[in-house]
Amino acid sequence: MRTLISTAFISLDGVMEAPGGEPGYRNSGWTFKEVEFVPEAFEIKGREQQESTAMLMGRVSYEAFSPVWPDMAEFAHYKTLPKYVVSTTLTEGQLVSGWGRTTILRSLDEVAALKETDGGPIIVHGSASLNHALSDAGLIDRYHLLVYPLLLGAGKRLFSTTDKDTQKLRPVEHEVYGNGVQKQVFDVVR
């Protein structure tokens, strides 16, 4: 079974919305506006690109990333990976060209089937609503988190607020950087 990894920049209070400056959010760009850049904190991002064999995202994240990431040198490896977008509304005609093979998945059952295929880790970037659904369905296997020492208050959050049984996480990697950012890697205990 393939490992499904949710990766996110999050504030200490769990907000993941608009870390890179996406429009429409009051604190947009909080990862670089509010905290000093420390290159070593981003080592995990390079490792994710090298180790992942596919990308999974929701429609909103796809629509935000697809016009930008294909031409960014720092995301060059992602251009070669198969991409999967979970959406009930996105059409084939709305997919961008020049970003490699992209497949639309219409349900979490299709995500579960994808996990059963041969191949390595599947990485999930952004995608707040998709993360909630994947977590609630027990489909996430690992979290890669860069936790910023900020309280942002309102905003889209990484973790679901569904009333459900406890989901235990096992820490497998952690580090704190000079700017206060914490790398936290957790496996979901089944």
Side-chain angles (χ1 to χ4, degrees), residues 75-152:
F75 298 117
H77 181 67
Y78 284 148
K79 193 170 186 173
T80 65
L81 295 182
K83 283 159 271 313
Y84 298 89
V85 182
V86 182
S87 174
T88 58
T89 59
L90 191 69
T91 66
E92 294 288 331
Q94 294 171 301
L95 297 176
V96 300
S97 60
W99 200 24
R101 183 175 55 125
T102 303
T103 303
I104 300 171
L105 304 178
R106 299 292 182 196
S107 69
L108 292 180
D109 289 338
E110 290 184 31
V111 174
L114 174 64
K115 284 186 63 175
E116 295 293 333
T117 62
D118 290 333
I122 303 165
I123 196 91
V124 181
H125 283 281
S127 307
S129 297
L130 178 59
N131 264 285
H132 298 172
L134 293 169
S135 174
D136 290 348
L139 294 173
I140 295 176
D141 301 299
R142 176 174 275 196
Y143 289 95
H144 287 184
L145 307 175
L146 285 178
V147 183
Y148 280 68
L150 301 170
L151 300 175
L152 298 175

Side-chain angles (χ1 to χ4, degrees), residues 62-76:
Y62 176 78
E63 289 173 345
F65 299 153
S66 64
V68 181
W69 281 20
D71 297 324
M72 294 180 72
E74 57 266 55
F75 298 117

Side-chain angles (χ1 to χ4, degrees), residues 28-48:
S28 184
W30 50 270
T31 58
F32 60 88
K33 288 181 180 175
E34 304 295 339
V35 177
E36 174 191 359
F37 177 76
V38 176
E40 57 270 21
F42 294 89
E43 173 276 334
I44 194 167
K45 294 301 176 188
R47 191 169 15 128
E48 287 171 353

